Amino acid sequence: MPEPRPIQNLTQALTGIAVPAEGPRRRLPRLSPFRTEDPAQRARYDDATLWYGAVWMAGERRLRLFGPPGLNLVPLLRAARYETEAGPLPAPRLRRFKRYATADFPLDRPAATLSMELNGQRLSMPILQQDLSTFRGLNTLYTMSQNNDLDWIEDWITYHHRRHGANGLVIADNGSTAYSPGDLAERLSRLDFLKGLRVTSVPFRYGPSSAICRRASQARFLQTAIANLHRDLYLTSARAVLSCDIDELMISTSGRSVFDAAVARKLGFLTVPGYWRFSRVPPGQRARHADHLWIDPARSKPCPTKYVIRPDGVLAGWSWMTHSLEALPRAAFKASPEFWFAHCHDISMRWKEGREATTEERAWQRDPALEALWSA
């Protein structure tokens, strides 16, 4: 097996900036009230983080911060004073997206630290330096993960390399406790087909489930913000980017790569529907992707789409969401019948919650397409 690459070049950590303990807290979005009085459950909502991270974009001579929507904290963000070690910054251009916010500053030279003065207190975080060369021209997967088994992650990226030609990987690790970002990077660095690899520690609150508040997706900010941070940090020169989770395998009915299909499209954008697949492994045994050979007829409806995008194409600059691009009607982009993804039910640590168990197995049917795939 190949030797691992130097880990210090493959990992980094976001530290963010949060409201001081005595400061005001971000209220819930207006249409997302809590369903529970349990303080531990309510604490999953991020009411304190102001900014997740900062990226200096050399080509644009711009410093961009990414964070949750300010909501009631917008006046605080506007009143704050910002500077780097080179001196004060002008007032930021604040922009609100559906699930996150950005602040842009003109900045001609790279800087190491962003400082924010808030009500007499000085808060700071490191500035990440944009690196577009690592993933230039690569077929790249992007995902957020927490505590997923290392075998699962290796199986997932290896499958997409063999079947679709993936040769780049960016993982945002959301506070895993089973291993460190360095452990994850060391394991993946032994895969010699990966020409580009980065693991970012993202130790922020993921957000509430639907059991905790109504319209919970409106109160989950992290996933979308971090995806767009990584787009600007690493991915705008990639050949194509597939955004999907560790439990999702892209299936091609023609043998063509999803990356090739996206690049060939006029808009450089391809949506892919998903369908649940289930495993039947003995009790106490951890399922793998290849065990998911079963269809439950009671759960045959498509899952929300995932997508592949050419980041320097016509839709460059559009905000990335989990299932599509912001403000882009999903109905306007019919999924190609050439591709679908197998949503593997038991490849999960239940970190997002809401994935109910399936018990009615007598009606399950074997999937001949996946049987043929794994036996090939």
Side-chain angles (χ1 to χ4, degrees):
M1 180 175 287
E3 289 298 312
R5 285 165 270 182
I7 300 306
Q8 66 269 22
N9 298 329
L10 304 180
T11 63
Q12 61 189 355
L14 300 182
T15 58
I17 291 178
V19 177
E22 68 279 7
R25 289 297 183 262
R26 178 183 294 103
R27 295 194 292 266
L28 279 164
R30 184 173 57 86
L31 298 178
S32 300
F34 282 121
R35 296 178 185 266
T36 176
E37 297 299 323
D38 183 347
Q41 293 293 308
R42 287 188 169 209
R44 296 189 62 175
Y45 174 66
D46 192 340
D47 61 358
T49 302
L50 296 174
W51 302 111
Y52 296 127
V55 177
W56 184 64
M57 303 160 68
E60 300 179 34
R61 296 293 188 265
R62 184 195 313 271
L63 175 64
R64 177 168 291 165
L65 315 187
F66 293 82
L71 301 177
N72 58 297
L73 300 182
V74 167
L76 201 68
L77 299 175
R78 292 191 183 281
R81 292 191 296 175
Y82 299 85
E83 64 178 47
T84 70
E85 64 270 24
L89 294 169
R93 176 178 178 258
L94 296 176
R95 188 174 179 188
R96 166 73 189 272
F97 295 86
K98 193 172 184 179
R99 300 279 188 271
Y100 69 103
T102 60
D104 281 11
F105 305 86
L107 187 62
D108 289 335
R109 298 179 181 178
T113 305
L114 182 281
S115 297
M116 179 180 182
E117 187 174 319
L118 197 64
N119 295 333
Q121 289 189 267
R122 190 180 184 85
L123 311 168
S124 63
M125 64 179 173
I127 296 172
L128 305 179
Q129 309 301 309
Q130 186 181 57
D131 170 17
L132 302 183
S133 62
T134 295
F135 296 92
R136 191 181 308 278
L138 299 187
N139 294 329
T140 304
L141 268 76
Y142 169 79
T143 196
M144 179 174 281
S145 174
Q146 184 188 84
N147 284 329
N148 280 297
D149 188 283
L150 294 177
D151 287 337
W152 289 346
I153 299 173
E154 183 172 336
D155 288 350
W156 173 78
I157 183 58
T158 300
Y159 167 86
H160 285 101
H161 167 68
R162 290 175 177 169
R163 298 289 175 174
H164 296 279
N167 54 3
L169 174 61
V170 177
I171 295 185
D173 184 85
N174 184 210
S176 291
T177 55
Y179 45 77
S180 70
D183 295 334
L184 174 57
E186 181 177 13
R187 172 70 175 267
L188 296 172
S189 72
R190 296 178 183 272
L191 302 175
D192 56 6
F193 63 79
L194 282 179
K195 306 307 179 186
L197 171 64
R198 293 293 184 270
V199 177
T200 305
S201 173
V202 183
F204 306 101
R205 285 177 271 183
Y206 180 80
S209 70
S210 57
I212 297 172
C213 68
R214 298 181 186 276
R215 297 179 176 86
S217 63
Q218 296 187 24
R220 290 197 294 262
F221 313 129
L222 181 68
Q223 190 169 18
T224 304
I226 297 302
N228 286 280
L229 182 152
H230 281 98
R231 177 201 63 190
D232 288 352
L233 179 61
Y234 290 133
L235 297 175
T236 57
S237 293
R239 179 173 183 260
V241 177
L242 167 58
S243 174
C244 70
D245 294 331
I246 302 297
D247 60 351
E248 297 167 346
L249 298 180
M250 297 291 146
I251 311 296
S252 172
T253 61
S254 67
R256 185 164 65 143
S257 160
V258 290
F259 298 105
D260 292 347
V263 169
R265 290 200 163 194
K266 184 176 181 180
L267 294 180
F269 184 73
L270 173 71
T271 59
V272 182
Y275 298 91
W276 284 109
R277 292 297 182 263
F278 301 87
S279 70
R280 278 181 169 171
V281 297
Q285 179 178 322
R286 179 161 287 185
R288 304 285 282 266
H289 293 82
D291 296 316
H292 288 76
L293 302 174
W294 297 89
I295 301 169
D296 180 357
R299 300 181 64 181
S300 59
K301 292 183 179 179
C303 305
T305 58
K306 291 303 174 72
Y307 61 90
V308 193
I309 186 169
R310 178 181 165 185
D312 64 350
V314 175
L315 299 175
W318 284 59
S319 177
W320 293 4
M321 300 276 291
T322 304
H323 301 291
S324 187
L325 304 181
E326 184 168 336
L328 189 70
R330 288 193 218 174
F333 285 84
K334 291 185 178 180
S336 168
E338 188 179 354
F339 302 100
W340 61 282
F341 69 86
H343 202 168
C344 300
H345 183 268
D346 297 317
I347 304 296
S348 173
M349 304 304 293
R350 305 299 191 267
W351 66 290
K352 292 183 183 177
E353 295 186 356
R355 181 172 297 197
E356 62 275 16
T358 299
T359 57
E360 193 59 49
E361 298 185 9
R362 287 173 295 181
W364 288 8
Q365 303 164 0
R366 291 180 75 89
D367 184 335
L370 290 186
E371 284 188 314
L373 177 76
W374 292 114
S375 63

